[in-house]
Amino acid sequence: MTRISRALAVAAAASLAAAACSSGGGTTAVPSTAQSQPSGQAAKGDGTLTIGTTLPQTGSLAYLGPPEFAGVDLAVKEVNEAGGVLGKPVVKIDTDSGDTTTNIASQSVDKLLAQKADAIIGAASSSVSKSIIDKVTGAGVVQFSPANTSDEFTTIKDDGLYFRTAPPDKLQGRVLGDLAVADGNDTIGILAMQDFYGSGLADQVTQTAEAGGAQVVERVDYDPKAADFSADVAKIKAKNPKAIMLIGFEETAKVVQELVKQGLTADKHQWYMVDGNMSNTNYLKSPRGTLKGVKGTIPGAAAPAAFQKRLLSVDPKLTNYTYAAESYDAAILIALAAQAAKDDSGKAIAAKLEDVSKGGEKCQGFKACADLLKAGKDIDYDGVSGPVDFNDVGDPSVATIGVYQYGADNRYDAAKALEYRRGDISG
């Protein structure tokens, strides 16, 4: 069943119970004709593929910006070295996504639309992407995130124009919940930022951990902009859980300080983190050993050494590779879809993204895949981040989650995961 026909069937069934599906943060998912093609004839592109980026240069996920920008930069460089798309160089325009405390992302989208972007890569934050998705897709432009993990994007209204290379949180949540149980924790406390990302991930962790026999004895969904987290941490302390899940962004550094202050240290309680706060810079001011033994999950396999070397050719200062592969694959897939459609318009690209990601002759890299397309072949692009293989709602159908551990220096080795867990997103 195609992405379009499946969405229409899902919409018909979902209309009977639309009010029943919402996130932990209180935002209702929209089970509408989300993936159906817009009415009317899609406009042809102008012959030049223009890719915009709305990625974090500032804000709570700014540490993810450099690897994401580098991934897109490398992809565009390689595409243009191979002759570009439709015989012309790809144009790239970078903008800042900021975070939900500002209106930067909306202003950035306005700028990109004014400059005729056909596809926009971003945002990193699920909440930021939610704030701009109507503006982007309403303009007939593809929105493609390398890092959005909120489950709600699977059913959000997007006119068939939203895609992502990062897996939905139901997989990361399952891995986290299973990990905590496997480590022998039968009581768990959760401190989650109250937003589109944090609350949804906390829901999945709770479901999985409790299905595995553990009990979530306390869950606190906190305001990430709060000046003080003492009351939130005190609620966790009162229940004295064996494990503590920390689901947030850069404000987690302040939460960590409060946990230590109240005696809930990582040597007495097993802490777990997520992709939003797994950072090698945010905790360096903490005393040595504060994060020793802390485990965390990041979607995607580690960036291969050869790929890291290529990334350094576009950003020699790069030290973090999180979501670089997903960003690279997003840009390559957009270029291949435009080439396959022989049209750089957003709607034409969206119509071909699923096709170029699976079902044809396997290929890697833009040049090899583009050569097959020019020879009239159907292709199956396998990316650096994995096989991708979009399902009919624009999510990768399978994905890998890496489990990492902090050392005494309050850093984790991004090149050395404790393990990788691969999962079927539909399961």
Side-chain angles (χ1 to χ4, degrees), residues 283-317:
Y283 311 108
L284 296 182
K285 294 182 179 179
S286 298
R288 181 178 174 82
T290 298
L291 268 64
K292 183 179 180 181
V294 174
K295 294 180 180 179
T297 51
I298 300 176
F307 179 62
Q308 291 184 24
K309 185 176 180 180
R310 284 154 57 200
L311 288 168
L312 291 171
S313 72
V314 297
D315 184 356
K317 297 180 180 179

Side-chain angles (χ1 to χ4, degrees), residues 60-202:
S60 57
L61 288 180
Y63 74 96
L64 289 179
E68 292 173 344
F69 280 113
V72 177
D73 289 348
L74 177 62
V76 172
K77 175 176 178 285
E78 292 180 355
V79 169
N80 287 341
E81 287 175 348
V85 172
L86 306 176
K88 294 183 180 180
V90 173
V91 173
K92 181 179 66 70
I93 307 167
D94 292 330
T95 66
D96 183 17
S97 64
D99 58 27
T100 54
T101 66
T102 68
N103 194 40
I104 291 174
S106 181
Q107 295 172 17
S108 293
V109 169
D110 289 341
K111 174 183 176 182
L112 294 174
L113 294 180
Q115 296 183 70
K116 298 183 179 179
D118 303 299
I120 294 176
I121 296 176
S125 159
S126 292
S127 291
V128 173
S129 280
K130 185 187 177 187
S131 74
I132 60 175
I133 190 170
D134 288 346
K135 183 177 287 189
V136 176
T137 60
V141 171
V142 167
Q143 182 175 349
F144 199 138
S145 175
N148 288 167
T149 57
S150 172
D151 291 332
E152 293 194 36
F153 284 107
T154 299
T155 54
I156 201 167
K157 182 178 179 181
D158 65 357
D159 235 4
L161 293 166
Y162 175 88
F163 294 80
R164 55 180 165 182
T165 37
D169 275 329
K170 62 182 177 182
L171 179 57
Q172 183 174 196
R174 288 202 299 260
V175 171
L176 272 169
D178 286 341
L179 182 63
V181 173
D183 286 345
N185 300 295
D186 56 5
T187 56
I188 299 171
I190 300 177
L191 282 159
M193 65 187 296
Q194 188 172 27
D195 85 333
F196 199 43
Y197 163 82
S199 297
L201 185 49

